[in-house]
Amino acid sequence: MALDGIVISNIVYELKKLLLGGRIDKIYQPESDEIVLHTRGKGSSYRLLLTSHSNHPRLHITNHNKKNPESPPMFCMLLRKHLSGGKIVDVIQPDFERIVEFHIESLNEMGDLCIKKLIIEIMGRHSNIILTDSDNRILDSIIHVSKDKSSVREVLPGRIYVRPPSQDKLNPLLVPDNDFGKFLKGTNGTKLQQAIYKSFSGISPVVASEICYRAHLDPSLYLEELTDENRNALSNVMQHLFSLIKNNSFTPQIILHPNTNEPVDFSSIEMTQFLDYKKQSFDSISEVIELYYAEKDNLSRIKQKSNDIHKIIQNNLERCYKKKDLQLQKLKEVSDREYLRVYGELITANIYAISKGMNSFETINFYEEEQPLVTIPLDPMLTPSENAQLYFKQYNKAKRTHLALIEQLKQTEEEIQYLESLLTATESSTDESDINDIRYELKEQGYIKMRNPKQSKNQVKSKPLHFYSSDGFDIYVGKNNRQNDELTLRFASPSDLWFHTKDIPGSHVIIKTQNKEVPHTTILEAANLAAFYSKAKTSSNVPVDYTLKKNVKKPNGAKPGMVIYDHYNTIYITPDKLKIKNLTAKE
């Protein structure tokens, strides 16, 4: 569910209670599209997050403390100049739209008090954060929008700020009682649900569906099919709903999937249409939004930051696949080489029956049981002996090529396996340090040009995942090849248990046994982790090998993360994310 007008109204109500009268103490810009304001007031301090991220734009109070860049971006510096020490005097939501304006009282260059506005527009990929002066003149924005990007309005320093067009929607808070049904807009063929969210501002498709459900109306009902009774029922539901919102009577909640407990939606009103779903209620809408977006936003940003290395790995994989196809094709050609030796032998056996200048020679092939007649092509410019030597030479060359191709094919398959492990590691990354590890590894292996080796070597290494099994054993999961090598070759003891998916790229998983016998429950949990953090995470009956760490060796010259092992057992398991969530994760 997007942050619609109802959720924004809930946020504004909460922010007014917490922030009005507070002063802006610090300002940070941890991401290119994200601002964090530290405020102090009423004996408390808060961190206010505003982000114009194209996938997850939002604003709320946050408890998450992100690492900030060493040098603050220009927009952050400008905000510090104009807003540091400023007092938040109002927070408004214009016309029930997905826009929030912070009115901040601060000193201008002349030392006089003035009101500046920090505005966040939550509109998908068109989201923005804008700073204006008291005359609504734009001082700057986190994203500049020129005429070539938008023909509707420019968002540039020096321009007068104009709100996005309202699309002629009505503010539902201003509609007279019981008149909602009269203001539905649409032509014949417009469905009821669509008509609701296209007629009134701040209503999302999910809320429109909820309104229909409460009114006992089919959302796919066409407007022309509505009776007066239907319109009255709709008006009554909407009047009740928006009277609650006018009175700031919100019920923040997250809707959870009944089987996986995964968050599927969130709301500021009671969502009665989700009959079989679990619902978790909260006192704070900020807590709801932070919890809902925590994993989604992190994964989205990791994906964004890993796009370049994902493309490098994918391009090299495609190159290897093409190379493998060519090698297999060539291998097939030289595999059928025995006839060359036979031709040479037959020419030698019949050398006195052949003379120079002949184009071919027919003889019995006594190397085959049926002894068929065979026609052997000859080079008329060569003597019979030279023709025989030519066939022997071609045979030996094909034999050498065959041996070389087998070795090359082995190397290509090893490189494919290695690159696929990097691809899996990229998809398993949970923070930026994981991505930096993979990027450094690509540089070490020559896939990326290393410009500053010292800087790369001094970077902070990422840490493996750490879980606590239901039987009390520590389980560690490597998220990339660097972590895999560290876990297996340096961290694990000889008596620890080592897990890895069979012939499938994935993580090394270690159970720290402390020389104790490991229960089967913990073995299943570790196997589940190995299967989940692998290329086969969406498959079923994934084979996972496990053995004592002392049986795991790294061959000389092997690439990072590549090992061999023996004396192992194999367990088949279907990855279960819910069971992993139930494991205690440790920092």
Side-chain angles (χ1 to χ4, degrees):
M1 176 177 180
L3 273 74
D4 62 7
I6 296 174
V7 175
I8 295 294
S9 181
N10 191 177
I11 294 170
V12 168
Y13 171 65
E14 181 170 286
L15 295 182
K16 277 186 173 182
K17 286 196 301 180
L18 299 176
L19 303 184
L20 283 190
R23 292 196 177 272
I24 297 172
D25 186 30
K26 297 174 183 176
I27 302 171
Y28 297 109
Q29 190 175 345
E31 304 283 353
S32 61
D33 53 11
E34 191 171 282
I35 295 295
V36 177
L37 305 179
H38 287 239
T39 67
R40 294 184 183 275
K42 302 179 183 178
S44 301
S45 61
Y46 301 96
R47 280 196 293 266
L48 174 64
L49 171 74
L50 298 92
T51 173
S52 59
H53 189 282
S54 58
N55 293 331
H56 308 126
R58 63 196 187 280
L59 78 159
H60 56 85
I61 300 297
T62 180
N63 293 315
H64 185 54
N65 196 9
K66 277 191 174 183
K67 184 181 178 182
N68 296 298
E70 294 180 5
S71 300
M74 291 298 295
F75 186 65
C76 179
M77 295 292 286
L78 183 87
L79 292 181
R80 289 176 180 178
K81 174 185 174 183
H82 289 279
L83 302 183
S84 288
K87 181 181 177 182
I88 300 174
V89 295
D90 204 359
V91 185
I92 66 168
Q93 176 191 16
D95 299 324
F96 208 63
E97 291 284 1
R98 291 175 296 165
I99 301 171
V100 177
E101 294 182 1
F102 293 88
H103 293 197
I104 300 163
E105 186 181 71
S106 62
L107 297 173
N108 61 17
E109 288 84 352
M110 304 297 294
D112 300 322
L113 280 175
C114 63
I115 299 293
K116 296 192 172 90
K117 296 178 185 177
L118 184 62
I119 304 162
I120 179 168
E121 300 174 347
I122 299 172
M123 299 182 176
R125 60 190 181 91
H126 301 295
S127 300
N128 211 339
I129 302 171
I130 304 163
L131 179 68
T132 74
D133 61 15
S134 54
D135 297 321
N136 277 339
R137 190 172 298 279
I138 297 172
L139 297 173
D140 206 353
S141 59
I142 207 162
I143 299 170
H144 289 179
V145 182
S146 54
K147 274 187 178 178
D148 60 334
K149 289 184 180 178
S150 172
S151 58
V152 179
R153 63 173 187 147
E154 286 184 310
V155 181
L156 293 170
R159 301 286 194 272
I160 297 297
Y161 172 73
V162 179
R163 288 174 186 155
S166 65
Q167 300 174 326
D168 297 324
K169 292 183 179 182
L170 292 173
N171 183 344
L173 299 181
L174 302 179
V175 175
D177 291 348
N178 293 318
D179 280 356
F180 285 93
K182 298 177 184 176
F183 289 103
L184 288 174
K185 288 186 275 186
T187 58
N188 287 348
T190 301
K191 293 182 179 180
L192 177 58
Q193 181 196 19
Q194 188 181 33
I196 293 172
Y197 69 76
K198 287 196 170 181
S199 300
F200 303 99
S201 62
I203 297 180
S204 66
V206 176
V207 170
S209 177
E210 174 67 19
I211 291 168
C212 293
Y213 181 81
R214 293 187 184 190
H216 305 291
L217 296 173
D218 186 347
S220 61
L221 196 69
Y222 293 114
L223 275 186
E224 60 268 25
E225 296 175 328
L226 285 179
T227 63
D228 290 340
E229 185 181 352
N230 294 152
R231 289 181 183 270
N232 287 335
L234 199 69
S235 291
N236 290 335
V237 168
M238 294 185 74
Q239 179 192 340
H240 174 70
L241 175 63
F242 287 103
S243 66
L244 291 174
I245 292 165
K246 286 178 186 177
N247 295 322
N248 296 313
S249 181
F250 299 103
T251 53
Q253 61 181 216
I254 288 181
I255 294 93
L256 305 170
H257 194 279
N259 298 325
T260 64
N261 278 341
E262 290 286 320
V264 295
D265 215 332
F266 68 93
S267 176
S268 287
I269 61 172
E270 182 68 33
M271 299 299 280
T272 60
Q273 62 182 313
F274 292 94
L275 293 176
D276 299 324
Y277 286 74
K278 301 175 185 177
K279 294 166 191 171
Q280 188 176 359
S281 297
F282 295 82
D283 295 328
S284 164
I285 186 62
S286 288
E287 193 177 351
V288 166
I289 296 171
E290 179 149 74
L291 183 62
Y292 182 82
Y293 281 113
E295 186 176 353
K296 290 179 173 62
D297 186 59
N298 185 52
L299 290 176
S300 178
R301 290 194 181 279
I302 289 297
K303 186 177 179 181
Q304 193 176 41
K305 290 175 180 178
S306 65
N307 274 341
D308 60 331
I309 61 174
H310 191 279
K311 189 174 180 181
I312 289 167
I313 297 168
Q314 199 65 55
N315 287 343
N316 279 282
L317 263 175
E318 288 174 9
R319 173 185 59 79
C320 286
Y321 290 140
K322 288 178 182 176
K323 188 199 293 185
K324 182 180 177 180
D325 287 341
L326 290 171
Q327 287 169 345
L328 287 171
Q329 184 180 345
K330 187 67 177 174
L331 192 63
K332 186 178 179 182
E333 291 173 5
V334 297
S335 293
D336 186 23
R337 64 185 180 277
E338 196 60 30
Y339 78 94
L340 295 169
R341 184 186 63 78
V342 172
Y343 281 7
E345 295 285 0
L346 290 174
I347 292 172
T348 303
N350 295 276
I351 197 163
Y352 297 108
I354 307 169
S355 58
K356 186 176 180 180
M358 293 176 63
N359 291 313
S360 62
F361 166 67
E362 188 175 72
T363 186
I364 294 173
N365 184 0
F366 46 79
Y367 285 95
E368 291 188 23
E369 188 177 345
E370 297 170 358
Q371 296 191 358
L373 283 174
V374 61
T375 301
I376 302 173
L378 299 172
D379 186 339
M381 302 300 293
L382 302 178
T383 65
S385 178
E386 288 172 338
N387 269 294
Q389 290 306 312
L390 179 62
Y391 276 114
F392 287 134
K393 186 177 180 181
Q394 290 174 348
Y395 169 75
N396 289 325
K397 182 181 178 182
K399 188 177 179 181
R400 290 193 302 272
T401 303
H402 183 268
L403 293 172
L405 282 169
I406 288 175
E407 183 59 32
Q408 290 169 12
L409 191 58
K410 180 186 174 185
Q411 292 172 1
T412 303
E413 286 173 341
E414 286 175 352
E415 186 175 7
I416 288 172
Q417 185 182 3
Y418 172 68
L419 290 168
E420 284 183 342
S421 75
L422 286 176
L423 207 57
T424 302
T426 304
E427 292 163 0
S428 299
S429 298
T430 57
D431 56 51
E432 193 171 350
S433 60
D434 294 333
I435 297 300
N436 290 336
D437 269 356
I438 299 168
R439 183 174 282 110
Y440 178 67
E441 187 179 331
L442 285 166
K443 289 176 181 177
E444 274 189 323
Q445 298 300 317
Y447 293 102
I448 299 177
K449 188 175 180 181
M450 191 178 289
R451 295 177 182 174
N452 193 342
K454 289 184 180 179
Q455 185 179 0
S456 297
K457 280 186 178 179
N458 293 333
Q459 71 178 36
V460 178
K461 286 187 178 181
S462 60
K463 294 181 180 179
L465 297 171
H466 183 190
F467 296 92
Y468 203 55
S469 83
S470 54
D471 298 306
F473 287 82
D474 289 300
I475 305 177
Y476 294 86
V477 181
K479 289 178 286 180
N480 56 55
N481 289 326
R482 269 181 113 180
Q483 290 181 12
N484 287 340
D485 277 354
E486 183 71 29
L487 276 178
T488 302
L489 306 176
R490 287 175 280 280
F491 177 75
S493 302
S495 60
D496 292 339
L497 281 177
W498 179 90
F499 293 72
H500 194 278
T501 43
K502 189 180 193 71
D503 300 326
I504 300 170
S507 298
H508 292 199
V509 176
I510 297 291
I511 297 178
K512 294 296 288 181
T513 64
Q514 303 295 334
N515 293 316
K516 297 176 185 176
E517 186 177 347
V518 180
H520 189 62
T521 309
T522 294
I523 289 175
L524 286 175
E525 288 168 351
N528 186 33
L529 287 165
F532 183 80
Y533 289 100
S534 77
K535 189 180 178 182
K537 67 183 294 182
T538 58
S539 305
S540 57
N541 290 322
V542 179
V544 176
D545 292 339
Y546 67 98
T547 184
L548 292 173
K549 185 266 166 186
K550 67 181 181 180
N551 298 324
V552 183
K553 304 288 186 295
K554 188 175 185 70
N556 291 333
K559 289 184 180 293
M562 302 293 108
V563 294
I564 55 175
Y565 54 93
D566 53 23
H567 298 92
Y568 59 88
N569 295 311
T570 303
I571 190 169
Y572 290 85
I573 196 158
T574 298
D576 190 329
K577 188 177 182 180
L578 184 58
K579 287 181 180 178
I580 291 173
K581 279 197 165 187
N582 290 335
L583 289 177
T584 305
K586 301 180 81 174
E587 292 296 330

